[in-house]
Amino acid sequence: MDLFITGGAGFIGSNFVRMAIFRGHNVLNFDALTYAGRRENLSDLESKSNYLFVEGNICDEHAVEKALENTFDGKGFNVVINFAAESHVDRSIHAAKIFSETNVLGTATLLEAARAANVPMFIQISTDEVYGSLSSTGKFERHSPLNPSSPYSSSKAGADLLALSFYHTWGYDVRITRCTNNYGSYQFPEKFIPTIITRALRGESIPVFGDGMQIRDWIYVNDHCEGIFNVIERGKPAHIYLFGGSNEKTNLDLSRTILEALAKRTNQPEENFMKLITHITDRPGHDRRYTIDWSSSKQELGWEPAISFETGIEQTVEWYLQNRKWWESII
Ligand code: NAD
């Protein structure tokens, strides 16, 4: 397949591009290289004939239209996969405008250009955060009401509705994925798991919001990417697909698990790392718990996560240990 991928220089996008190239697909990676995008994440692919990097902003219709004119085999792209987004909730609290621009207007620009260029399928990569917060029981299902809490999740919900409107208005084949929190290699150091690992390795305090009892579900990034391939191959227009890892953890437990793995791997006493945990003032509007019921994706796509939480965390800790130069240069 010929894939037009946006945001492929970021965390999930770069893992997806790598899998796609490894599987023999042609990939155009369109990315604005914001602070979160690193072209060097995929620099080893740039010599390959089935990979093309184009720097550009999804809000810039001319740049998007021009990039869509590229072909690998003269036949045009089979699918647009929109990973490009402003993705950090904490930043969205202080800078809502750029989140609306990229996540909402950028998605609208991309939808219009993809439809005009006759790309037959559009996949919008979204998040479980569009459903808002849960109490201690229950799970969100794909048709649970949208109730986003942060400027980030609100802009993602807006983008999802826009994407679906292209199906209802034009019959355009749009598919939505909503996934829980990802972890793995190449995640920008500002996100929670890389923050824990990189600060612990530098002997710095590890900030945990409030009481640390907020619950999130965690999924290894490759499992999410596999789910997206399944949506392309077996999904249906206008359907919403949920992906989760069934690893619900409080932020405090997650911090301790990672620090235990780090202590074991570096042969250091656990208490050297545990004492770094520092509770800080809670984030305004902090969602208490999210999790989803992804059984519909299992039934309809045959998808389920393959990497256990323990293995995924070990691999992630190892990656940050082996790639210190990557994250130190960013910090
Ligand atoms: P990221 O911040 O690591 O990467 C975002 C990428 O998009 C970067 O390469 C950046 O340069 C690019 N980008 C930003 N604005 C752009 C613009 N205007 N035009 C072109 N490119 C632009 O994000 P991520 O964590 O990899 O998330 C990717 C997608 O997955 C996002 O849409 C996010 O909402 C969604 N998602 C993320 C998670 C998670 O846990 N990280 C979970 C569910 C869904």
Side-chain angles (χ1 to χ4, degrees), residues 9-12 31-32 34 37 57-58 83 85 87 102 126 152 156 182:
F11 162 46
I12 305 174
D31 196 297
T34 67
N57 192 314
I58 58 167
F83 290 96
S87 68
T102 290
S126 188
Y152 163 68
K156 293 295 291 184
N182 287 222

Side-chain angles (χ1 to χ4, degrees), residues 13-314:
S14 62
N15 280 282
F16 185 86
V17 169
R18 199 169 282 288
M19 276 171 84
I21 293 290
F22 182 73
R23 292 175 185 196
H25 300 296
N26 297 321
V27 173
L28 185 147
N29 176 8
F30 184 85
D31 196 297
L33 299 180
T34 67
Y35 79 94
R38 324 283 304 173
R39 186 168 176 171
E40 66 266 29
N41 288 357
L42 296 168
S43 54
D44 55 314
L45 303 183
E46 296 214 9
S47 58
K48 293 188 180 291
S49 58
N50 60 336
Y51 177 71
L52 178 63
F53 178 79
V54 175
E55 185 174 344
N57 192 314
I58 58 167
C59 300
D60 177 346
E61 60 188 276
H62 299 297
V64 173
E65 283 162 13
K66 197 159 178 286
L68 280 163
E69 285 170 10
N70 284 283
T71 60
F72 287 97
D73 54 12
K75 284 193 280 192
F77 292 97
N78 300 100
V79 53
V80 169
I81 309 170
N82 184 25
F83 290 96
E86 286 293 334
S87 68
H88 194 44
V89 177
D90 289 342
R91 285 178 188 257
S92 80
I93 291 166
H94 303 289
K97 195 172 161 220
I98 180 74
F99 282 71
S100 312
E101 282 167 4
T102 290
N103 300 359
V104 183
L105 294 179
T107 301
T109 307
L110 201 58
L111 280 160
E112 282 183 341
R115 195 181 79 82
N118 296 316
V119 181
M121 190 194 300
F122 188 105
I123 301 200
Q124 174 65 9
I125 306 300
S126 188
T127 164
D128 65 338
E129 296 191 35
V130 296
Y131 297 118
S133 188
L134 280 168
S135 61
S136 55
T137 56
K139 289 180 178 190
F140 290 121
E141 292 168 8
R142 60 179 155 187
H143 294 302
S144 296
L146 298 179
N147 190 20
S149 318
S150 68
Y152 163 68
S153 51
S154 305
S155 65
K156 293 295 291 184
D160 289 6
L161 295 177
L162 256 173
L164 288 172
S165 78
F166 270 63
Y167 172 75
H168 296 294
T169 310
W170 305 107
Y172 190 39
D173 181 351
V174 169
R175 307 171 187 195
I176 312 266
T177 67
R178 292 181 181 150
C179 188
T180 60
N181 281 23
N182 287 222
Y183 67 96
S185 54
Y186 293 104
Q187 189 166 27
F188 201 76
E190 71 186 351
K191 299 288 170 60
F192 192 44
I193 288 185
T195 295
I196 298 168
I197 300 172
T198 59
R199 291 186 71 90
L201 287 173
R202 288 153 69 101
E204 293 169 352
S205 67
I206 294 164
V208 171
F209 280 127
D211 61 5
M213 300 311 281
Q214 308 85 356
I215 294 174
R216 302 288 181 265
D217 172 50
W218 292 91
I219 179 173
Y220 193 60
V221 64
N222 289 21
D223 280 330
H224 180 191
C225 294
E226 192 63 55
I228 298 165
F229 279 112
N230 288 186
V231 171
I232 299 172
E233 285 154 17
R234 292 190 283 286
K236 289 191 183 145
H239 277 229
I240 293 164
Y241 295 95
L242 304 185
F243 300 119
S246 295
N247 297 304
E248 275 190 64
K249 312 276 174 208
T250 67
N251 285 347
L252 199 53
D253 278 347
L254 176 69
S255 312
R256 290 187 179 131
T257 303
I258 291 168
L259 295 178
E260 277 165 23
L262 260 182
K264 194 171 145 208
R265 171 62 180 74
T266 58
N267 291 320
Q268 289 192 54
E270 274 179 22
E271 56 269 28
N272 284 6
F273 289 120
M274 296 298 172
K275 69 181 183 202
L276 299 173
I277 293 178
T278 308
H279 292 267
I280 59 166
T281 309
D282 208 352
R283 168 199 283 164
H286 204 168
D287 288 333
R288 207 59 189 164
R289 173 172 172 257
Y290 326 113
T291 195
I292 50 164
D293 175 2
W294 48 265
S295 58
S296 53
S297 295
K298 184 171 180 178
Q299 281 152 20
E300 292 170 24
L301 303 173
W303 175 91
E304 57 186 326
I307 312 281
S308 73
F309 183 69
E310 293 66 30
T311 305
I313 289 294
E314 266 174 34

